[in-house]
Amino acid sequence: MTRRVGLLGGTFDPPHLGHLVVAECARVELELDEVRLLVAGDPYQKSTTSTSEHRIAMVRAAVADDEHLTVDARELDRSGPTYTADTLAELTAEAPQTRWFFILGEDAAAGLSTWERVDEAFALATFVVVTRPGDAAPDDATLPDAIVHLEIPQLEVSSTELRERFAAGRATRYLVPVAVDAYVRTHGLYGNDDG
Ligand code: NAP
C-alpha cells in the first residue's frame, strides 16, 4: 500500500502547540501514516535567533511522546539556502512509492510564489494549506488547483510572540510543550536568563 506521509516544514524557533495541532489535525483528517517535522537548515527568507542545533533539539523534545510525529533533520545537512524542492526531490528518490503531503499555514502559503522552483515542489507533493474555521481559502492564482485546504482549530500562538514572552520572562508553559519550555530556560535562549 502507498504510504502517506505529511511534512510540516518550519524554522521552529521555537516549536509550539500551534505546530503540533496542525500536524495532528493533518494526520487524522488526511489519514496520514506519519507526520514529519522538517526542520529548515537555512530558512533564508527569515532571520533566526537560535542555532539549528537548538532548533532540532527543541523539535525532538516537542514530539518525543508522540509515536505519529517524527523529526526529519536532512535539511540541516545541506549547505546553502533551504529549498523545499530539493528536499522533496531527495525524499521522492528515496521512497518513490510514498505520497508526500507538504503542510503549511496561511502566511507561509501566501509566500509560495516566491519559493525557489516551486513548480517542482508542487509536482512532487500534495500541498495542504491549513486555514482557520470560517476563513475563505486563499485566493491566489499562482497556487495550483491541487492544493488541499484543511480547516483546523486556530491557536493564536506564534514563534515570534513566544520569543518575546521568553525574553520578557512572561508565562510560556503550555503554549510550548513542557519539555521545550524547560529546554529554552536551561539553555537561556531568546534572552531568557532564569534557567
Ligand atoms: P515556521 O514559522 O516555523 O512555521 C511552520 C509552519 O507552521 C508554517 O507553515 C506556519 O504557517 C505554521 N504555523 C505556525 N503557527 C501556526 C498556528 N498557530 N496555527 C497554524 N499554523 C501555524 O515556518 P516557516 O519558517 O514559515 O517555514 C515553513 C516552510 O516553508 C519551511 O519548510 C521552509 O523551508 C519552507 N520555505 C521554503 C522556501 C523555498 O523553498 N524557497 C521558501 C520559504 C519557506 P504560518 O506561516 O501561516 O504561520
Side-chain angles (χ1 to χ4, degrees), residues 89-155:
E90 266 179 41
L91 288 165
T92 304
E94 281 171 26
Q97 302 305 325
T98 295
R99 182 166 172 197
W100 303 100
F101 294 80
F102 196 90
I103 306 156
L104 68 180
E106 284 184 276
D107 288 350
L112 272 172
S113 58
T114 70
W115 287 22
E116 184 77 8
R117 289 176 278 116
V118 72
D119 287 341
E120 276 178 50
F122 287 151
L124 295 170
T126 301
F127 274 64
V128 180
V129 180
V130 298
T131 52
R132 294 175 180 80
D135 276 2
D139 180 19
D140 183 340
T142 63
L143 301 184
D145 292 341
I147 278 196
V148 172
H149 297 281
L150 185 67
E151 229 180 63
I152 61 157
Q154 184 67 21
L155 294 187

